[in-house]
């Protein structure tokens, strides 16, 4: 019950903010439940397959996600994620804890920077309602975004949601709300191929996975319902704080 209730809360956070939930999961599994870090990474990214599937459906119904754009970027990310798991296997557990926590903290800083007043809000809504997949520049951006964020996901098991959101906001000009929802779609193939890589390395605990998924799937679906209704300030704060708190948990 302790794991289920904890993962339910993590799923709500992931579904609402579209970021930081996996960092929380890894931090709690390592610091509270004493799971080896490689197994925690493998379990976390495998759980994201189910969590993001549930969250993506909810976001799509709420009008928060651009399905075609998200799947294209995610397809490139899937290759990067699978390759990244081979890098993760070669990193010692203690070093991986520090590196993962550092990536989580950096992601929070990047989201704060991008959503600050340094960037006018009207720029974020530049492409709302438009299909940008027909532009040649979109495919170049999608390839780079997918490969980079996918590789980070495969190495650190964190989903790279803040980095994906950052790319969607800056490169693709998505509004903040659609950046949150589309990120869930992008992560789906990334998480799938990342989990395959960790499974092949023997870093996937199916019993633990079932416990994590049971809580996070329900929570993610619920959390996504509040994204569209939440004030921008609250959504921005959640996007910034959640990966940073996950980083602190990792350091514990």
């Amino acid at each position: 019950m302790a794991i289920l209730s904890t993962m339910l809360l993590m799923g709500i956070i992931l579904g609402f903010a579209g970021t930081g939930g996996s960092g929380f999961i890894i931090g709690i599994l390592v610091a509270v439940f004493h799971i080896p870090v490689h197994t925690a990474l493998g379990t976390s990214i495998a759980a994201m397959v189910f969590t993001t599937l549930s969250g993506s459906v909810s976001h799509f119904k709420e009008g928060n996600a651009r399905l075609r754009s998200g799947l294209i970027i995610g397809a490139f990310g899937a290759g990067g994620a699978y390759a990244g798991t081979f890098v993760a296997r070669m990193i010692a557990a203690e070093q991986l804890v520090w590196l993962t926590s550092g990536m989580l903290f950096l992601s929070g800083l990047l989201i704060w920077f991008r959503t600050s007043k340094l960037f006018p809000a009207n720029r974020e809504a530049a492409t709302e309602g438009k299909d940008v997949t027909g532009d040649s520049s979109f495919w170049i951006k999608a390839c780079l975004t997918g490969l980079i964020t996918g590789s980070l996901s495969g190495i650190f098991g964190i989903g790279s949601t803040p980095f994906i959101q950052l790319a969607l906001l800056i490169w693709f000009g998505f509004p903040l709300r659609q950046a949150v929802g589309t990120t869930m779609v992008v992560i789906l193939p990334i998480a799938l191929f990342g989990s395959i890589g960790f499974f092949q390395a023997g870093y996937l605990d199916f019993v633990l996975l079932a416990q994590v998924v049971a809580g996070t799937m329900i929570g993610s679906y619920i959390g996504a319902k509040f994204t569209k209704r939440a004030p921008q300030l609250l959504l921005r704060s959640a996007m910034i704080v959640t990966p940073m708190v996950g980083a602190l948990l990792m350091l514990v």
Side-chain angles (χ1 to χ4, degrees), residues 63-86:
N64 297 336
R66 300 188 186 185
L67 189 60
R68 179 176 170 81
S69 299
L71 289 177
I72 292 173
I73 298 171
F76 287 109
Y82 184 75
T85 62
F86 288 87

Side-chain angles (χ1 to χ4, degrees), residues 66 68-69 126-139 172-174:
R66 300 188 186 185
R68 179 176 170 81
S69 299
T127 64
E128 187 165 14
K130 297 180 180 179
D131 181 11
V132 297
T133 59
D135 298 334
S136 58
S137 62
F138 167 83
W139 289 88
F172 299 93
F174 282 22

Side-chain angles (χ1 to χ4, degrees), residues 38 41-42 45 76-91 96 99-100 146-158 160 190 193-198 200-201 203:
H38 285 90
L41 297 185
I45 198 168
F76 287 109
Y82 184 75
T85 62
F86 288 87
V87 178
R89 302 176 197 182
M90 298 184 290
I91 303 176
L96 194 56
L99 291 171
T100 301
L147 289 176
I148 293 172
T149 58
S151 297
L152 293 176
S153 296
I155 296 172
F156 303 109
I158 60 174
S160 294
I190 289 177
F193 280 80
S195 62
I196 291 173
F198 277 108
Q200 292 176 336
Y203 293 131

Side-chain angles (χ1 to χ4, degrees), residues 203-233:
Y203 293 131
L204 188 56
D205 186 326
F206 285 100
V207 175
L208 179 62
L209 175 62
Q211 294 172 324
V212 172
V213 168
T216 54
M217 274 196 73
I218 299 173
S220 178
Y221 190 86
I222 295 172
K225 296 295 184 182
F226 294 95
T227 301
K228 191 174 184 178
R229 299 169 177 83
Q232 288 285 93
L233 179 61

Side-chain angles (χ1 to χ4, degrees), residues 14 17-23 26 41 44-45 48 52 73 77 80-81 84 99-100 103-104 106-108 110-111 144-168 179-180 182-184 186-188 190-191 239 243:
L14 179 60
T19 183
S22 58
I26 296 169
L41 297 185
S44 174
I45 198 168
M48 280 192 289
T52 54
I73 298 171
L99 291 171
T100 301
M103 291 299 296
L104 287 169
L106 175 61
S107 66
L110 290 174
I111 289 295
L144 292 175
T145 300
L147 289 176
I148 293 172
T149 58
S151 297
L152 293 176
S153 296
I155 296 172
F156 303 109
I158 60 174
S160 294
T161 49
F163 297 91
I164 297 171
Q165 287 178 350
L166 194 67
L168 292 178
V180 171
T182 306
T183 293
M184 301 289 280
V186 174
I187 293 175
L188 185 57
I190 289 177
M239 292 170 65

Side-chain angles (χ1 to χ4, degrees), residues 23-95:
F24 265 100
I25 293 172
I26 296 169
I28 289 175
L29 291 179
V30 173
V32 178
F33 298 105
H34 309 293
I35 304 298
V37 63
H38 285 90
T39 302
L41 297 185
T43 302
S44 174
I45 198 168
M48 280 192 289
V49 175
F50 302 93
T51 305
T52 54
L53 176 60
S54 175
S56 295
V57 171
S58 185
H59 274 298
F60 183 73
K61 289 182 178 179
E62 294 291 321
N64 297 336
R66 300 188 186 185
L67 189 60
R68 179 176 170 81
S69 299
L71 289 177
I72 292 173
I73 298 171
F76 287 109
Y82 184 75
T85 62
F86 288 87
V87 178
R89 302 176 197 182
M90 298 184 290
I91 303 176
E94 184 176 351
Q95 294 176 332

